[in-house]
Each structure stands twice: as structure tokens, then as C-alpha cells.
mmCIF file with all atom_site columns, all heavy atoms in Angstrom:
data_model
loop_
_atom_site.group_PDB
_atom_site.id
_atom_site.type_symbol
_atom_site.label_atom_id
_atom_site.label_alt_id
_atom_site.label_comp_id
_atom_site.label_asym_id
_atom_site.label_entity_id
_atom_site.label_seq_id
_atom_site.pdbx_PDB_ins_code
_atom_site.Cartn_x
_atom_site.Cartn_y
_atom_site.Cartn_z
_atom_site.occupancy
_atom_site.B_iso_or_equiv
_atom_site.pdbx_formal_charge
_atom_site.auth_seq_id
_atom_site.auth_comp_id
_atom_site.auth_asym_id
_atom_site.auth_atom_id
_atom_site.pdbx_PDB_model_num
ATOM 1   N N   . ARG A 1 1  ? 3.974  1.704   -15.023 1.00 83.00 ? 79  ARG A N   1
ATOM 2   C CA  . ARG A 1 1  ? 3.764  0.538   -15.897 1.00 83.00 ? 79  ARG A CA  1
ATOM 3   C C   . ARG A 1 1  ? 4.721  -0.617  -15.574 1.00 83.00 ? 79  ARG A C   1
ATOM 4   O O   . ARG A 1 1  ? 4.420  -1.747  -15.510 1.00 83.00 ? 79  ARG A O   1
ATOM 5   C CB  . ARG A 1 1  ? 3.964  0.962   -17.358 1.00 83.00 ? 79  ARG A CB  1
ATOM 6   C CG  . ARG A 1 1  ? 2.779  1.780   -18.016 1.00 83.00 ? 79  ARG A CG  1
ATOM 7   C CD  . ARG A 1 1  ? 2.949  1.967   -19.408 1.00 83.00 ? 79  ARG A CD  1
ATOM 8   N NE  . ARG A 1 1  ? 4.061  2.915   -19.769 1.00 83.00 ? 79  ARG A NE  1
ATOM 9   C CZ  . ARG A 1 1  ? 3.914  4.229   -19.887 1.00 83.00 ? 79  ARG A CZ  1
ATOM 10  N NH1 . ARG A 1 1  ? 2.647  4.741   -19.719 1.00 83.00 ? 79  ARG A NH1 1
ATOM 11  N NH2 . ARG A 1 1  ? 4.925  4.963   -20.166 1.00 83.00 ? 79  ARG A NH2 1
ATOM 12  N N   . LYS A 1 2  ? 5.976  -0.255  -15.167 1.00 81.00 ? 80  LYS A N   1
ATOM 13  C CA  . LYS A 1 2  ? 6.931  -1.300  -14.857 1.00 81.00 ? 80  LYS A CA  1
ATOM 14  C C   . LYS A 1 2  ? 6.519  -1.980  -13.529 1.00 81.00 ? 80  LYS A C   1
ATOM 15  O O   . LYS A 1 2  ? 6.700  -3.119  -13.372 1.00 81.00 ? 80  LYS A O   1
ATOM 16  C CB  . LYS A 1 2  ? 8.328  -0.608  -14.709 1.00 81.00 ? 80  LYS A CB  1
ATOM 17  C CG  . LYS A 1 2  ? 8.985  -0.183  -16.021 1.00 81.00 ? 80  LYS A CG  1
ATOM 18  C CD  . LYS A 1 2  ? 10.392 0.410   -15.693 1.00 81.00 ? 80  LYS A CD  1
ATOM 19  C CE  . LYS A 1 2  ? 10.975 0.863   -17.099 1.00 81.00 ? 80  LYS A CE  1
ATOM 20  N NZ  . LYS A 1 2  ? 12.290 1.507   -16.853 1.00 81.00 ? 80  LYS A NZ  1
ATOM 21  N N   . SER A 1 3  ? 6.048  -1.084  -12.609 1.00 82.00 ? 81  SER A N   1
ATOM 22  C CA  . SER A 1 3  ? 5.683  -1.646  -11.276 1.00 82.00 ? 81  SER A CA  1
ATOM 23  C C   . SER A 1 3  ? 4.540  -2.645  -11.416 1.00 82.00 ? 81  SER A C   1
ATOM 24  O O   . SER A 1 3  ? 4.407  -3.632  -10.817 1.00 82.00 ? 81  SER A O   1
ATOM 25  C CB  . SER A 1 3  ? 5.239  -0.440  -10.306 1.00 82.00 ? 81  SER A CB  1
ATOM 26  O OG  . SER A 1 3  ? 4.881  -0.993  -9.077  1.00 82.00 ? 81  SER A OG  1
ATOM 27  N N   . PHE A 1 4  ? 3.492  -2.197  -12.236 1.00 88.00 ? 82  PHE A N   1
ATOM 28  C CA  . PHE A 1 4  ? 2.323  -3.025  -12.474 1.00 88.00 ? 82  PHE A CA  1
ATOM 29  C C   . PHE A 1 4  ? 2.775  -4.384  -13.075 1.00 88.00 ? 82  PHE A C   1
ATOM 30  O O   . PHE A 1 4  ? 2.248  -5.409  -12.701 1.00 88.00 ? 82  PHE A O   1
ATOM 31  C CB  . PHE A 1 4  ? 1.333  -2.313  -13.368 1.00 88.00 ? 82  PHE A CB  1
ATOM 32  C CG  . PHE A 1 4  ? 0.047  -3.125  -13.579 1.00 88.00 ? 82  PHE A CG  1
ATOM 33  C CD1 . PHE A 1 4  ? -0.960 -3.070  -12.746 1.00 88.00 ? 82  PHE A CD1 1
ATOM 34  C CD2 . PHE A 1 4  ? -0.066 -3.989  -14.693 1.00 88.00 ? 82  PHE A CD2 1
ATOM 35  C CE1 . PHE A 1 4  ? -2.119 -3.848  -12.953 1.00 88.00 ? 82  PHE A CE1 1
ATOM 36  C CE2 . PHE A 1 4  ? -1.247 -4.722  -15.006 1.00 88.00 ? 82  PHE A CE2 1
ATOM 37  C CZ  . PHE A 1 4  ? -2.193 -4.626  -14.076 1.00 88.00 ? 82  PHE A CZ  1
ATOM 38  N N   . ALA A 1 5  ? 3.604  -4.337  -14.162 1.00 87.00 ? 83  ALA A N   1
ATOM 39  C CA  . ALA A 1 5  ? 3.970  -5.541  -14.816 1.00 87.00 ? 83  ALA A CA  1
ATOM 40  C C   . ALA A 1 5  ? 4.750  -6.467  -13.901 1.00 87.00 ? 83  ALA A C   1
ATOM 41  O O   . ALA A 1 5  ? 4.538  -7.736  -13.926 1.00 87.00 ? 83  ALA A O   1
ATOM 42  C CB  . ALA A 1 5  ? 4.981  -5.172  -16.009 1.00 87.00 ? 83  ALA A CB  1
ATOM 43  N N   . LEU A 1 6  ? 5.628  -5.986  -13.101 1.00 85.00 ? 84  LEU A N   1
ATOM 44  C CA  . LEU A 1 6  ? 6.390  -6.836  -12.104 1.00 85.00 ? 84  LEU A CA  1
ATOM 45  C C   . LEU A 1 6  ? 5.428  -7.380  -11.008 1.00 85.00 ? 84  LEU A C   1
ATOM 46  O O   . LEU A 1 6  ? 5.620  -8.536  -10.617 1.00 85.00 ? 84  LEU A O   1
ATOM 47  C CB  . LEU A 1 6  ? 7.529  -6.026  -11.499 1.00 85.00 ? 84  LEU A CB  1
ATOM 48  C CG  . LEU A 1 6  ? 8.543  -6.777  -10.764 1.00 85.00 ? 84  LEU A CG  1
ATOM 49  C CD1 . LEU A 1 6  ? 9.132  -7.953  -11.509 1.00 85.00 ? 84  LEU A CD1 1
ATOM 50  C CD2 . LEU A 1 6  ? 9.682  -5.901  -10.215 1.00 85.00 ? 84  LEU A CD2 1
ATOM 51  N N   . THR A 1 7  ? 4.543  -6.629  -10.559 1.00 88.00 ? 85  THR A N   1
ATOM 52  C CA  . THR A 1 7  ? 3.622  -7.036  -9.460  1.00 88.00 ? 85  THR A CA  1
ATOM 53  C C   . THR A 1 7  ? 2.766  -8.180  -10.057 1.00 88.00 ? 85  THR A C   1
ATOM 54  O O   . THR A 1 7  ? 2.510  -9.229  -9.380  1.00 88.00 ? 85  THR A O   1
ATOM 55  C CB  . THR A 1 7  ? 2.689  -5.863  -8.978  1.00 88.00 ? 85  THR A CB  1
ATOM 56  O OG1 . THR A 1 7  ? 3.549  -4.884  -8.391  1.00 88.00 ? 85  THR A OG1 1
ATOM 57  C CG2 . THR A 1 7  ? 1.718  -6.436  -8.048  1.00 88.00 ? 85  THR A CG2 1
ATOM 58  N N   . VAL A 1 8  ? 2.239  -8.049  -11.256 1.00 93.00 ? 86  VAL A N   1
ATOM 59  C CA  . VAL A 1 8  ? 1.386  -9.095  -11.880 1.00 93.00 ? 86  VAL A CA  1
ATOM 60  C C   . VAL A 1 8  ? 2.235  -10.345 -12.118 1.00 93.00 ? 86  VAL A C   1
ATOM 61  O O   . VAL A 1 8  ? 1.816  -11.469 -11.828 1.00 93.00 ? 86  VAL A O   1
ATOM 62  C CB  . VAL A 1 8  ? 0.725  -8.602  -13.126 1.00 93.00 ? 86  VAL A CB  1
ATOM 63  C CG1 . VAL A 1 8  ? 0.176  -9.733  -13.934 1.00 93.00 ? 86  VAL A CG1 1
ATOM 64  C CG2 . VAL A 1 8  ? -0.321 -7.541  -12.781 1.00 93.00 ? 86  VAL A CG2 1
ATOM 65  N N   . PHE A 1 9  ? 3.448  -10.121 -12.726 1.00 92.00 ? 87  PHE A N   1
ATOM 66  C CA  . PHE A 1 9  ? 4.345  -11.255 -12.954 1.00 92.00 ? 87  PHE A CA  1
ATOM 67  C C   . PHE A 1 9  ? 4.686  -12.095 -11.807 1.00 92.00 ? 87  PHE A C   1
ATOM 68  O O   . PHE A 1 9  ? 4.755  -13.319 -11.837 1.00 92.00 ? 87  PHE A O   1
ATOM 69  C CB  . PHE A 1 9  ? 5.670  -10.666 -13.602 1.00 92.00 ? 87  PHE A CB  1
ATOM 70  C CG  . PHE A 1 9  ? 6.626  -11.673 -14.050 1.00 92.00 ? 87  PHE A CG  1
ATOM 71  C CD1 . PHE A 1 9  ? 6.484  -12.287 -15.292 1.00 92.00 ? 87  PHE A CD1 1
ATOM 72  C CD2 . PHE A 1 9  ? 7.680  -12.050 -13.222 1.00 92.00 ? 87  PHE A CD2 1
ATOM 73  C CE1 . PHE A 1 9  ? 7.431  -13.317 -15.756 1.00 92.00 ? 87  PHE A CE1 1
ATOM 74  C CE2 . PHE A 1 9  ? 8.594  -13.050 -13.621 1.00 92.00 ? 87  PHE A CE2 1
ATOM 75  C CZ  . PHE A 1 9  ? 8.449  -13.602 -14.940 1.00 92.00 ? 87  PHE A CZ  1
ATOM 76  N N   . MET A 1 10 ? 4.863  -11.477 -10.600 1.00 90.00 ? 88  MET A N   1
ATOM 77  C CA  . MET A 1 10 ? 5.202  -12.173 -9.350  1.00 90.00 ? 88  MET A CA  1
ATOM 78  C C   . MET A 1 10 ? 3.913  -12.634 -8.650  1.00 90.00 ? 88  MET A C   1
ATOM 79  O O   . MET A 1 10 ? 3.802  -13.767 -8.161  1.00 90.00 ? 88  MET A O   1
ATOM 80  C CB  . MET A 1 10 ? 6.067  -11.325 -8.528  1.00 90.00 ? 88  MET A CB  1
ATOM 81  C CG  . MET A 1 10 ? 7.318  -11.066 -9.005  1.00 90.00 ? 88  MET A CG  1
ATOM 82  S SD  . MET A 1 10 ? 8.279  -9.772  -7.967  1.00 90.00 ? 88  MET A SD  1
ATOM 83  C CE  . MET A 1 10 ? 8.396  -10.740 -6.501  1.00 90.00 ? 88  MET A CE  1
ATOM 84  N N   . GLY A 1 11 ? 2.903  -11.696 -8.638  1.00 93.00 ? 89  GLY A N   1
ATOM 85  C CA  . GLY A 1 11 ? 1.778  -11.999 -7.749  1.00 93.00 ? 89  GLY A CA  1
ATOM 86  C C   . GLY A 1 11 ? 0.876  -13.087 -8.190  1.00 93.00 ? 89  GLY A C   1
ATOM 87  O O   . GLY A 1 11 ? 0.324  -13.812 -7.435  1.00 93.00 ? 89  GLY A O   1
ATOM 88  N N   . VAL A 1 12 ? 0.636  -13.172 -9.483  1.00 96.00 ? 90  VAL A N   1
ATOM 89  C CA  . VAL A 1 12 ? -0.307 -14.224 -10.033 1.00 96.00 ? 90  VAL A CA  1
ATOM 90  C C   . VAL A 1 12 ? 0.170  -15.635 -9.745  1.00 96.00 ? 90  VAL A C   1
ATOM 91  O O   . VAL A 1 12 ? -0.542 -16.431 -9.095  1.00 96.00 ? 90  VAL A O   1
ATOM 92  C CB  . VAL A 1 12 ? -0.514 -14.073 -11.499 1.00 96.00 ? 90  VAL A CB  1
ATOM 93  C CG1 . VAL A 1 12 ? -1.214 -15.371 -12.173 1.00 96.00 ? 90  VAL A CG1 1
ATOM 94  C CG2 . VAL A 1 12 ? -1.364 -12.829 -11.785 1.00 96.00 ? 90  VAL A CG2 1
ATOM 95  N N   . PRO A 1 13 ? 1.459  -15.998 -10.114 1.00 96.00 ? 91  PRO A N   1
ATOM 96  C CA  . PRO A 1 13 ? 1.929  -17.271 -9.772  1.00 96.00 ? 91  PRO A CA  1
ATOM 97  C C   . PRO A 1 13 ? 2.039  -17.670 -8.224  1.00 96.00 ? 91  PRO A C   1
ATOM 98  O O   . PRO A 1 13 ? 1.766  -18.739 -7.764  1.00 96.00 ? 91  PRO A O   1
ATOM 99  C CB  . PRO A 1 13 ? 3.264  -17.493 -10.409 1.00 96.00 ? 91  PRO A CB  1
ATOM 100 C CG  . PRO A 1 13 ? 3.688  -16.178 -10.549 1.00 96.00 ? 91  PRO A CG  1
ATOM 101 C CD  . PRO A 1 13 ? 2.516  -15.334 -10.819 1.00 96.00 ? 91  PRO A CD  1
ATOM 102 N N   . LEU A 1 14 ? 2.372  -16.633 -7.529  1.00 94.00 ? 92  LEU A N   1
ATOM 103 C CA  . LEU A 1 14 ? 2.492  -16.772 -5.977  1.00 94.00 ? 92  LEU A CA  1
ATOM 104 C C   . LEU A 1 14 ? 1.118  -17.025 -5.421  1.00 94.00 ? 92  LEU A C   1
ATOM 105 O O   . LEU A 1 14 ? 1.005  -17.927 -4.560  1.00 94.00 ? 92  LEU A O   1
ATOM 106 C CB  . LEU A 1 14 ? 3.048  -15.588 -5.366  1.00 94.00 ? 92  LEU A CB  1
ATOM 107 C CG  . LEU A 1 14 ? 4.608  -15.344 -5.528  1.00 94.00 ? 92  LEU A CG  1
ATOM 108 C CD1 . LEU A 1 14 ? 5.076  -14.038 -5.088  1.00 94.00 ? 92  LEU A CD1 1
ATOM 109 C CD2 . LEU A 1 14 ? 5.383  -16.427 -4.963  1.00 94.00 ? 92  LEU A CD2 1
ATOM 110 N N   . SER A 1 15 ? 0.097  -16.326 -5.874  1.00 96.00 ? 93  SER A N   1
ATOM 111 C CA  . SER A 1 15 ? -1.310 -16.645 -5.347  1.00 96.00 ? 93  SER A CA  1
ATOM 112 C C   . SER A 1 15 ? -1.828 -17.928 -5.720  1.00 96.00 ? 93  SER A C   1
ATOM 113 O O   . SER A 1 15 ? -2.300 -18.702 -4.839  1.00 96.00 ? 93  SER A O   1
ATOM 114 C CB  . SER A 1 15 ? -2.234 -15.462 -5.893  1.00 96.00 ? 93  SER A CB  1
ATOM 115 O OG  . SER A 1 15 ? -1.908 -14.268 -5.451  1.00 96.00 ? 93  SER A OG  1
ATOM 116 N N   . ILE A 1 16 ? -1.699 -18.349 -7.033  1.00 97.00 ? 94  ILE A N   1
ATOM 117 C CA  . ILE A 1 16 ? -2.148 -19.629 -7.383  1.00 97.00 ? 94  ILE A CA  1
ATOM 118 C C   . ILE A 1 16 ? -1.392 -20.741 -6.750  1.00 97.00 ? 94  ILE A C   1
ATOM 119 O O   . ILE A 1 16 ? -1.880 -21.730 -6.210  1.00 97.00 ? 94  ILE A O   1
ATOM 120 C CB  . ILE A 1 16 ? -2.102 -19.760 -8.976  1.00 97.00 ? 94  ILE A CB  1
ATOM 121 C CG1 . ILE A 1 16 ? -3.065 -18.697 -9.645  1.00 97.00 ? 94  ILE A CG1 1
ATOM 122 C CG2 . ILE A 1 16 ? -2.357 -21.165 -9.385  1.00 97.00 ? 94  ILE A CG2 1
ATOM 123 C CD1 . ILE A 1 16 ? -3.024 -18.627 -11.146 1.00 97.00 ? 94  ILE A CD1 1
ATOM 124 N N   . GLY A 1 17 ? -0.032 -20.603 -6.763  1.00 96.00 ? 95  GLY A N   1
ATOM 125 C CA  . GLY A 1 17 ? 0.760  -21.718 -6.177  1.00 96.00 ? 95  GLY A CA  1
ATOM 126 C C   . GLY A 1 17 ? 0.527  -21.903 -4.777  1.00 96.00 ? 95  GLY A C   1
ATOM 127 O O   . GLY A 1 17 ? 0.479  -22.997 -4.255  1.00 96.00 ? 95  GLY A O   1
ATOM 128 N N   . LEU A 1 18 ? 0.403  -20.801 -3.945  1.00 95.00 ? 96  LEU A N   1
ATOM 129 C CA  . LEU A 1 18 ? 0.231  -20.903 -2.527  1.00 95.00 ? 96  LEU A CA  1
ATOM 130 C C   . LEU A 1 18 ? -1.092 -21.564 -2.194  1.00 95.00 ? 96  LEU A C   1
ATOM 131 O O   . LEU A 1 18 ? -1.294 -22.316 -1.261  1.00 95.00 ? 96  LEU A O   1
ATOM 132 C CB  . LEU A 1 18 ? 0.323  -19.557 -1.821  1.00 95.00 ? 96  LEU A CB  1
ATOM 133 C CG  . LEU A 1 18 ? 0.228  -19.506 -0.370  1.00 95.00 ? 96  LEU A CG  1
ATOM 134 C CD1 . LEU A 1 18 ? 1.301  -20.409 0.312   1.00 95.00 ? 96  LEU A CD1 1
ATOM 135 C CD2 . LEU A 1 18 ? 0.231  -18.059 0.177   1.00 95.00 ? 96  LEU A CD2 1
ATOM 136 N N   . GLY A 1 19 ? -2.150 -21.197 -2.968  1.00 96.00 ? 97  GLY A N   1
ATOM 137 C CA  . GLY A 1 19 ? -3.428 -21.779 -2.804  1.00 96.00 ? 97  GLY A CA  1
ATOM 138 C C   . GLY A 1 19 ? -3.465 -23.282 -3.070  1.00 96.00 ? 97  GLY A C   1
ATOM 139 O O   . GLY A 1 19 ? -4.204 -24.077 -2.360  1.00 96.00 ? 97  GLY A O   1
ATOM 140 N N   . ILE A 1 20 ? -2.676 -23.784 -4.025  1.00 96.00 ? 98  ILE A N   1
ATOM 141 C CA  . ILE A 1 20 ? -2.594 -25.138 -4.396  1.00 96.00 ? 98  ILE A CA  1
ATOM 142 C C   . ILE A 1 20 ? -1.922 -25.987 -3.303  1.00 96.00 ? 98  ILE A C   1
ATOM 143 O O   . ILE A 1 20 ? -2.397 -26.999 -2.860  1.00 96.00 ? 98  ILE A O   1
ATOM 144 C CB  . ILE A 1 20 ? -1.842 -25.390 -5.740  1.00 96.00 ? 98  ILE A CB  1
ATOM 145 C CG1 . ILE A 1 20 ? -2.747 -24.756 -6.853  1.00 96.00 ? 98  ILE A CG1 1
ATOM 146 C CG2 . ILE A 1 20 ? -1.614 -26.864 -5.969  1.00 96.00 ? 98  ILE A CG2 1
ATOM 147 C CD1 . ILE A 1 20 ? -1.990 -24.785 -8.239  1.00 96.00 ? 98  ILE A CD1 1
ATOM 148 N N   . ILE A 1 21 ? -0.790 -25.461 -2.778  1.00 95.00 ? 99  ILE A N   1
ATOM 149 C CA  . ILE A 1 21 ? -0.013 -26.258 -1.864  1.00 95.00 ? 99  ILE A CA  1
ATOM 150 C C   . ILE A 1 21 ? -0.193 -25.784 -0.406  1.00 95.00 ? 99  ILE A C   1
ATOM 151 O O   . ILE A 1 21 ? 0.754  -26.089 0.497   1.00 95.00 ? 99  ILE A O   1
ATOM 152 C CB  . ILE A 1 21 ? 1.388  -26.325 -2.209  1.00 95.00 ? 99  ILE A CB  1
ATOM 153 C CG1 . ILE A 1 21 ? 2.081  -24.887 -2.246  1.00 95.00 ? 99  ILE A CG1 1
ATOM 154 C CG2 . ILE A 1 21 ? 1.523  -26.991 -3.553  1.00 95.00 ? 99  ILE A CG2 1
ATOM 155 C CD1 . ILE A 1 21 ? 3.578  -24.919 -2.431  1.00 95.00 ? 99  ILE A CD1 1
ATOM 156 N N   . ALA A 1 22 ? -1.207 -25.118 -0.086  1.00 96.00 ? 100 ALA A N   1
ATOM 157 C CA  . ALA A 1 22 ? -1.401 -24.513 1.338   1.00 96.00 ? 100 ALA A CA  1
ATOM 158 C C   . ALA A 1 22 ? -1.276 -25.566 2.429   1.00 96.00 ? 100 ALA A C   1
ATOM 159 O O   . ALA A 1 22 ? -0.522 -25.359 3.400   1.00 96.00 ? 100 ALA A O   1
ATOM 160 C CB  . ALA A 1 22 ? -2.772 -23.822 1.424   1.00 96.00 ? 100 ALA A CB  1
ATOM 161 N N   . PRO A 1 23 ? -1.883 -26.830 2.262   1.00 95.00 ? 101 PRO A N   1
ATOM 162 C CA  . PRO A 1 23 ? -1.677 -27.780 3.367   1.00 95.00 ? 101 PRO A CA  1
ATOM 163 C C   . PRO A 1 23 ? -0.174 -28.272 3.521   1.00 95.00 ? 101 PRO A C   1
ATOM 164 O O   . PRO A 1 23 ? 0.151  -28.358 4.741   1.00 95.00 ? 101 PRO A O   1
ATOM 165 C CB  . PRO A 1 23 ? -2.544 -28.961 2.873   1.00 95.00 ? 101 PRO A CB  1
ATOM 166 C CG  . PRO A 1 23 ? -3.565 -28.379 1.943   1.00 95.00 ? 101 PRO A CG  1
ATOM 167 C CD  . PRO A 1 23 ? -2.814 -27.238 1.264   1.00 95.00 ? 101 PRO A CD  1
ATOM 168 N N   . ASN A 1 24 ? 0.475  -28.370 2.486   1.00 95.00 ? 102 ASN A N   1
ATOM 169 C CA  . ASN A 1 24 ? 1.835  -28.724 2.661   1.00 95.00 ? 102 ASN A CA  1
ATOM 170 C C   . ASN A 1 24 ? 2.699  -27.590 3.314   1.00 95.00 ? 102 ASN A C   1
ATOM 171 O O   . ASN A 1 24 ? 3.527  -27.798 4.181   1.00 95.00 ? 102 ASN A O   1
ATOM 172 C CB  . ASN A 1 24 ? 2.474  -28.893 1.248   1.00 95.00 ? 102 ASN A CB  1
ATOM 173 C CG  . ASN A 1 24 ? 1.965  -30.158 0.570   1.00 95.00 ? 102 ASN A CG  1
ATOM 174 O OD1 . ASN A 1 24 ? 0.895  -30.647 0.891   1.00 95.00 ? 102 ASN A OD1 1
ATOM 175 N ND2 . ASN A 1 24 ? 2.755  -30.688 -0.391  1.00 95.00 ? 102 ASN A ND2 1
ATOM 176 N N   . VAL A 1 25 ? 2.401  -26.318 2.893   1.00 94.00 ? 103 VAL A N   1
ATOM 177 C CA  . VAL A 1 25 ? 3.123  -25.176 3.543   1.00 94.00 ? 103 VAL A CA  1
ATOM 178 C C   . VAL A 1 25 ? 2.876  -25.104 4.918   1.00 94.00 ? 103 VAL A C   1
ATOM 179 O O   . VAL A 1 25 ? 3.824  -24.837 5.815   1.00 94.00 ? 103 VAL A O   1
ATOM 180 C CB  . VAL A 1 25 ? 2.682  -23.873 2.774   1.00 94.00 ? 103 VAL A CB  1
ATOM 181 C CG1 . VAL A 1 25 ? 3.247  -22.662 3.450   1.00 94.00 ? 103 VAL A CG1 1
ATOM 182 C CG2 . VAL A 1 25 ? 3.156  -23.886 1.302   1.00 94.00 ? 103 VAL A CG2 1
ATOM 183 N N   . ILE A 1 26 ? 1.588  -25.237 5.389   1.00 95.00 ? 104 ILE A N   1
ATOM 184 C CA  . ILE A 1 26 ? 1.292  -25.171 6.862   1.00 95.00 ? 104 ILE A CA  1
ATOM 185 C C   . ILE A 1 26 ? 1.997  -26.297 7.592   1.00 95.00 ? 104 ILE A C   1
ATOM 186 O O   . ILE A 1 26 ? 2.563  -26.034 8.680   1.00 95.00 ? 104 ILE A O   1
ATOM 187 C CB  . ILE A 1 26 ? -0.217 -25.256 7.068   1.00 95.00 ? 104 ILE A CB  1
ATOM 188 C CG1 . ILE A 1 26 ? -0.949 -24.014 6.557   1.00 95.00 ? 104 ILE A CG1 1
ATOM 189 C CG2 . ILE A 1 26 ? -0.541 -25.514 8.565   1.00 95.00 ? 104 ILE A CG2 1
ATOM 190 C CD1 . ILE A 1 26 ? -0.576 -22.731 7.302   1.00 95.00 ? 104 ILE A CD1 1
ATOM 191 N N   . PHE A 1 27 ? 1.998  -27.425 6.990   1.00 94.00 ? 105 PHE A N   1
ATOM 192 C CA  . PHE A 1 27 ? 2.679  -28.633 7.722   1.00 94.00 ? 105 PHE A CA  1
ATOM 193 C C   . PHE A 1 27 ? 4.128  -28.341 7.902   1.00 94.00 ? 105 PHE A C   1
ATOM 194 O O   . PHE A 1 27 ? 4.720  -28.559 8.950   1.00 94.00 ? 105 PHE A O   1
ATOM 195 C CB  . PHE A 1 27 ? 2.508  -29.919 6.962   1.00 94.00 ? 105 PHE A CB  1
ATOM 196 C CG  . PHE A 1 27 ? 3.030  -31.189 7.577   1.00 94.00 ? 105 PHE A CG  1
ATOM 197 C CD1 . PHE A 1 27 ? 2.359  -31.833 8.571   1.00 94.00 ? 105 PHE A CD1 1
ATOM 198 C CD2 . PHE A 1 27 ? 4.361  -31.519 7.304   1.00 94.00 ? 105 PHE A CD2 1
ATOM 199 C CE1 . PHE A 1 27 ? 2.913  -32.926 9.149   1.00 94.00 ? 105 PHE A CE1 1
ATOM 200 C CE2 . PHE A 1 27 ? 4.957  -32.589 7.888   1.00 94.00 ? 105 PHE A CE2 1
ATOM 201 C CZ  . PHE A 1 27 ? 4.195  -33.293 8.793   1.00 94.00 ? 105 PHE A CZ  1
ATOM 202 N N   . ILE A 1 28 ? 4.785  -27.917 6.874   1.00 92.00 ? 106 ILE A N   1
ATOM 203 C CA  . ILE A 1 28 ? 6.244  -27.617 6.932   1.00 92.00 ? 106 ILE A CA  1
ATOM 204 C C   . ILE A 1 28 ? 6.567  -26.350 7.742   1.00 92.00 ? 106 ILE A C   1
ATOM 205 O O   . ILE A 1 28 ? 7.513  -26.380 8.545   1.00 92.00 ? 106 ILE A O   1
ATOM 206 C CB  . ILE A 1 28 ? 6.830  -27.401 5.486   1.00 92.00 ? 106 ILE A CB  1
ATOM 207 C CG1 . ILE A 1 28 ? 6.689  -28.680 4.662   1.00 92.00 ? 106 ILE A CG1 1
ATOM 208 C CG2 . ILE A 1 28 ? 8.275  -26.888 5.615   1.00 92.00 ? 106 ILE A CG2 1
ATOM 209 C CD1 . ILE A 1 28 ? 7.013  -28.511 3.200   1.00 92.00 ? 106 ILE A CD1 1
#
């Protein structure tokens, strides 16, 4: 339960955030 909670807590914003700023990340 702890592992699932931490994975979701980190994985959701990382997935959404990386998708939004992907062109910037590739350029940098």
C-alpha cells in the first residue's frame, strides 16, 4: 500500500509534466 501510494504520488505529476514540456526538455 505504501509503495503504491508513493508510486502514484510521484508518477502522475511526472508523466503529466514531462508530456507538457517535452519540447523544452529535448532542447535543453
